């Protein structure tokens, strides 16, 4: 049985992992590292430009219009849960067949995936132009003089979503083939497009909210064109033919069907809460949450890139029946994900007011600092979820897992409505999300035992315990470093010192002997190379 291990081998595996030496045998570590570096290069470009352009966009649009764009575009993104679920399914099947070197099946699955997206786009367009359009104009809290602009934003967001639907199979095939350098080039294109948006915004005298929505639509279209050219040039076997292979389609949709529930739950967690905040408090609070979400996205992209680089290897390990390698990579990616995110988030937790003032100047929406801190805590909690979910995707046995976990996450919206209706403040929505996400991860750990042979105690020892140790030590150090408030120069020094000390503790407390040795060897190699 693929999901069971020989007793003696399993005991050896547990013993090695508890001692911190569960190695990634048969995993291409160099490829993961290379892909991660490409993705980090892309991330740095996008993050720097986003920090600059967000300030200009907020100042140009104003807090009210900025909040309207975030809530309306976010509402449209709720319709994308179908696409997100099916796209993850595409990637899983591409990875699985590439792991078995079945190029012919990959070619056929690509054509089937595009056919599925054509039908899905028609369904989403129907929902968007009926139910969605009615809800926008009848139920959302938008000033009457901005309804027309809000509808322009809505229609632009709908067409952006349709473009994203057709991009999903291309995105999945690029990731499955681990061509992460392409994302670095796409990052450069995205940087250029966003700079152009800022340039046009400060030059245009027409309604800036409408212009911003249209320009963002054009950027989405430009990125999609880049995907098409790269994919068809790099992968000669990609040729779309309008086939209806019921067997392959049923297999893909059957896998994605349960994944839809998970995507819906996470989308409702984000955008459902955003709509509740709009109904109870108006666009100003949405603007604060939009700022917090951008900070969260900018930080979590570090972890997302790392997890994205490792995801194909995890699925291919399962396809090759390398369960020990899969479990080893699962533990290591889970631990590294939290530690990388903690390294970036800790200085922000102590210096969020300074960061916001440095970034946005005086145009800071109320509650932005508190929302940002809570968003970072939620992101830290969720950093453990993605590697675990990837293991579930690799097995393909998702029914029970998604039904239970998604049902728990869906409770976030009604619970948030109750606490807001009682009279709690806007941040109570974030506290509800944080509590539920902690609970659901505990449930995930025990559900995973039914899919692969692993120990929850082993997971706690290899993953959670090192992360908790690093968090406690670095919190104490960061508290000492940031205890005294000072001017801008002192604040920058405190941030850099917090980063440095956190990185040192992360290496010596969060990593095991083998991992530290690999890092030191890498440093020595670079030193010898450039000496």
């Amino acid at each position: 049985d693929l999901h069971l291990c020989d007793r003696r081998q399993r005991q050896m595996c547990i013993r090695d992992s508890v001692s911190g030496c569960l190695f990634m045998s048969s995993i291409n570590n160099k490829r993961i590292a290379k892909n991660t570096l490409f993705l980090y290069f892309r991330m740095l470009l996008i993050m720097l430009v986003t920090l600059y352009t967000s300030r200009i966009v907020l100042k140009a649009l104003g807090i009210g219009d900025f909040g309207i764009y975030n809530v309306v575009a976010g509402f449209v993104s709720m319709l994308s849960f179908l696409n997100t679920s099916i796209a993850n399914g595409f990637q899983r099947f591409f990875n699985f067949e590439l792991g078995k070197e079945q190029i012919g099946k990959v070619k056929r699955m690509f054509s089937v995936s595009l056919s599925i997206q054509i039908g899905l786009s028609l369904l989403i367009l129907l929902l968007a132009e009926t139910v969605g359009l009615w809800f926008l104009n009848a139920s959302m809290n938008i000033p009457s003089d901005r309804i027309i602009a809000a509808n322009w934003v809505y229609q632009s967001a709908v067409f952006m979503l349709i473009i994203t639907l057709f991009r999903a199979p291309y995105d999945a095939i690029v990731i499955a083939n681990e061509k992460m350098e392409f994302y670095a080039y796409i990052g450069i294109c995205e940087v250029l497009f966003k700079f152009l948006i800022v340039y046009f915004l400060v030059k245009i005298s027409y309604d800036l909210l409408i212009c911003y929505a249209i320009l963002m639509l054009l950027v989405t279209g430009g990125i999609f064109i880049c995907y098409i050219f790269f994919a068809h040039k790099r992968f000669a076997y990609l040729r779309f033919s309008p086939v209806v292979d019921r067997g392959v389609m049923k297999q893909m949709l059957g896998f994605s069907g349960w994944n839809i529930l998970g995507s819906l739950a996470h989308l409702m967690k984000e955008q459902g809460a955003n709509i509740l905040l709009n109904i109870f408090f108006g666009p100003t609070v949405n603007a604060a949450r939009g700022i917090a979400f951008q900070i969260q996205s900018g930080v979590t992209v570090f972890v997302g890139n790392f997890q994205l680089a490792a995801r194909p290897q995890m699925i291919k390990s399962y396809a090759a029946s390398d369960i020990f390698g899969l479990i080893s990579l699962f533990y290591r990616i889970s631990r590294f994900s939290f530690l990388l995110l903690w390294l970036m988030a800790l200085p922000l937790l102590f210096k969020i007011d300074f960061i916001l003032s440095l970034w946005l100047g005086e145009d800071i929406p109320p509650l932005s600092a508190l929302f940002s801190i809570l968003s970072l805590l939620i992101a830290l909690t969720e950093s453990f979820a993605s590697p675990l979910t990837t293991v579930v995707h690799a097995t393909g046995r998702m029914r029970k897992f998604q039904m239970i976990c998604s049902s728990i996450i869906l409770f976030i919206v009604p619970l948030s409505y109750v606490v807001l209706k009682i009279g709690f403040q806007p941040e109570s929505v974030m506290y509800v999300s944080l509590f539920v996400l902690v609970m659901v991860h505990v449930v995930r750990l025990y559900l995973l035992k039914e899919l692969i042979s692993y120990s929850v105690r082993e997971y706690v020892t290899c993953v959670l315990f090192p992360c908790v140790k690093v968090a406690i030590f670095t919190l104490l150090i960061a508290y000492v470093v940031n205890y005294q408030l000072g001017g801008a120069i002192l604040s920058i020094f405190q941030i850099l010192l917090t980063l440095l000390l956190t990185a040192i503790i992360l290496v010596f407390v969060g990593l095991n002997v083998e991992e530290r040795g690999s890092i030191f060897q890498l440093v020595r190699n670079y030193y010898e190379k450039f000496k």
Side-chain angles (χ1 to χ4, degrees):
D1 188 347
L2 190 62
H3 309 288
L4 298 177
C5 300
D6 177 79
R7 180 183 297 274
R8 184 177 178 183
Q9 289 179 315
R10 186 63 185 156
Q11 290 174 349
M12 294 175 60
C13 183
I14 295 175
R15 182 187 65 208
D16 289 342
S17 63
V18 171
S19 66
C21 297
L22 185 61
F23 300 116
M24 292 188 291
S25 59
S26 77
I27 302 297
N28 194 334
N29 299 310
K30 290 184 178 180
R31 178 177 296 179
I32 294 176
K34 176 185 175 183
N35 290 337
T36 303
L37 288 176
F38 276 120
L39 292 172
Y40 277 168
F41 175 68
R42 170 186 179 270
M43 174 273 303
L44 286 173
L45 286 173
I46 294 176
M47 185 174 66
L48 291 174
V49 173
T50 300
L51 290 175
Y52 172 74
T53 56
S54 296
R55 176 172 180 168
I56 303 300
V57 169
L58 176 60
K59 188 173 183 179
L61 296 182
I63 292 176
D65 279 2
F66 186 79
I68 290 173
Y69 183 85
N70 273 279
V71 71
V72 173
F75 171 66
V76 174
S77 71
M78 291 183 66
L79 299 174
S80 68
F81 74 91
L82 292 172
N83 176 60
T84 303
S85 307
I86 295 178
N88 287 336
F90 294 162
Q91 186 187 331
R92 187 265 177 187
F93 283 102
F94 292 158
N95 280 137
F96 201 89
E97 297 304 333
L98 286 172
K100 293 185 174 182
E101 300 182 354
Q102 299 289 333
I103 300 299
K105 283 191 175 181
V106 175
K107 178 180 178 180
R108 190 163 188 81
M109 284 181 171
F110 178 78
S111 293
V112 172
S113 66
L114 277 177
S115 300
I116 290 174
Q117 295 302 73
I118 292 174
L120 184 58
S121 64
L122 295 175
L123 173 61
I124 288 184
L125 189 62
L126 176 63
L127 293 173
E129 297 302 334
T130 53
V131 178
L133 197 59
W134 167 82
F135 185 82
L136 170 69
N137 290 281
S139 300
M140 297 191 72
N141 187 359
I142 297 173
S144 58
D145 60 329
R146 303 305 292 155
I147 285 293
I148 294 178
N151 275 270
W152 273 94
V153 171
Y154 180 81
Q155 296 298 337
S156 298
V158 169
F159 282 103
M160 287 169 61
L161 177 58
I162 298 300
I163 293 173
T164 305
L165 290 176
F166 288 101
R167 199 185 86 179
Y170 292 96
D171 198 10
I173 201 70
V174 170
I175 294 173
N177 283 275
E178 301 184 68
K179 300 300 180 182
M180 305 305 178
E181 67 273 16
F182 170 70
Y183 286 90
Y185 305 139
I186 280 292
I188 295 174
C189 294
E190 196 168 351
V191 165
L192 295 176
F193 285 144
K194 287 187 175 181
F195 267 124
L196 288 174
I197 286 180
V198 172
Y199 174 79
F200 283 116
L201 271 185
V202 298
K203 296 291 184 180
I204 293 173
S205 57
Y206 189 63
D207 191 306
L208 294 182
L209 180 57
I210 295 176
C211 293
Y212 181 67
I214 295 175
L215 290 171
M216 288 298 292
L217 172 60
L218 294 177
V219 167
T220 304
I223 295 297
F224 178 49
I225 291 173
C226 293
Y227 267 91
I228 293 176
F229 275 109
F230 174 80
H232 285 286
K233 183 177 181 180
R234 183 62 182 82
F235 311 115
Y237 58 84
L238 292 186
R239 291 291 182 270
F240 172 69
S241 56
V243 297
V244 182
D245 189 322
R246 293 186 178 181
V248 175
M249 190 172 291
K250 182 179 179 180
Q251 190 180 13
M252 283 184 160
L253 292 177
F255 174 86
S256 300
W258 293 110
N259 205 29
I260 285 175
L261 184 60
S263 297
L264 174 62
H266 283 282
L267 207 62
M268 287 298 293
K269 172 179 67 72
E270 295 294 337
Q271 299 305 329
N274 203 24
I275 292 174
L276 286 177
L277 290 174
N278 175 263
I279 293 173
F280 279 90
F281 301 103
T284 301
V285 174
N286 292 124
R289 193 178 182 281
I291 293 297
F293 181 76
Q294 289 194 33
I295 291 178
Q296 177 186 345
S297 300
V299 173
T300 54
V301 73
F302 281 88
V303 179
N305 289 333
F306 177 63
Q307 293 172 343
L308 184 63
R311 178 181 170 88
Q313 287 293 332
M314 295 176 73
I315 296 176
K316 290 175 183 177
S317 294
Y318 184 86
S321 302
D322 183 12
I323 303 302
F324 288 150
L326 173 64
I327 295 174
S328 172
L329 189 55
F330 164 48
Y331 290 163
R332 192 163 291 184
I333 296 303
S334 299
R335 179 158 44 89
F336 285 5
S337 295
F338 177 87
L339 295 177
L340 285 172
L341 185 55
W342 183 253
L343 177 65
M344 302 304 301
L346 185 60
L348 296 178
L349 294 175
F350 281 89
K351 288 296 182 182
I352 191 63
D353 290 317
F354 170 73
I355 295 296
L356 287 174
S357 62
L358 188 66
W359 174 26
L360 302 175
E362 298 180 356
D363 301 317
I364 303 176
L367 295 176
S368 295
L370 181 57
F371 276 13
S372 298
I373 291 173
L374 293 174
S375 294
L376 289 173
L377 294 178
I378 290 173
L380 287 163
T381 303
E382 289 191 300
S383 66
F384 295 110
S386 182
L388 191 151
T389 305
T390 298
V391 176
V392 177
H393 284 180
T395 67
R397 300 160 60 192
M398 302 179 58
R399 179 179 177 180
K400 183 177 179 180
F401 181 89
Q402 289 290 17
M403 285 183 64
I404 295 176
C405 295
S406 300
S407 298
I408 297 173
I409 294 173
L410 283 172
F411 271 107
I412 290 177
V413 174
L415 287 176
S416 298
Y417 176 81
V418 170
V419 297
L420 292 178
K421 194 68 175 178
I422 291 173
F424 282 85
Q425 296 301 308
E427 61 269 20
S428 61
V429 171
M430 313 288 281
Y431 290 116
V432 170
S433 295
L434 186 59
F435 173 76
V436 173
L437 290 173
V438 171
M439 294 299 101
V440 78
H441 190 64
V442 175
V443 175
R444 287 191 188 107
L445 291 175
Y446 285 95
L447 290 175
L448 187 63
K449 287 173 61 68
E450 300 180 9
L451 303 179
I452 61 171
S453 180
Y454 93 111
S455 166
V456 175
R457 179 179 297 180
E458 180 182 315
Y459 177 88
V460 172
T461 302
C462 298
V463 179
L464 296 184
F465 185 59
C467 292
V468 170
K469 286 196 299 183
V470 170
I472 292 174
F473 290 147
T474 53
L475 274 174
L476 293 174
I477 290 176
Y479 178 78
V480 173
V481 171
N482 296 277
Y483 185 75
Q484 296 292 332
L485 299 178
I489 296 178
L490 180 56
S491 294
I492 293 175
F493 172 77
Q494 289 169 331
I495 291 173
L496 294 176
L497 183 59
T498 302
L499 277 172
L500 176 61
L501 295 176
T502 302
I504 293 173
I505 292 177
L506 189 151
V507 171
F508 286 96
V509 178
L511 306 184
N512 60 42
V513 176
E514 181 238 342
E515 292 161 352
R516 283 197 298 272
S518 298
I519 291 178
F520 293 152
Q521 183 62 47
L522 183 64
V523 173
R524 282 194 293 268
N525 291 342
Y526 275 103
Y527 175 76
E528 294 294 333
K529 182 178 180 180
F530 294 103
K531 185 171 64 173

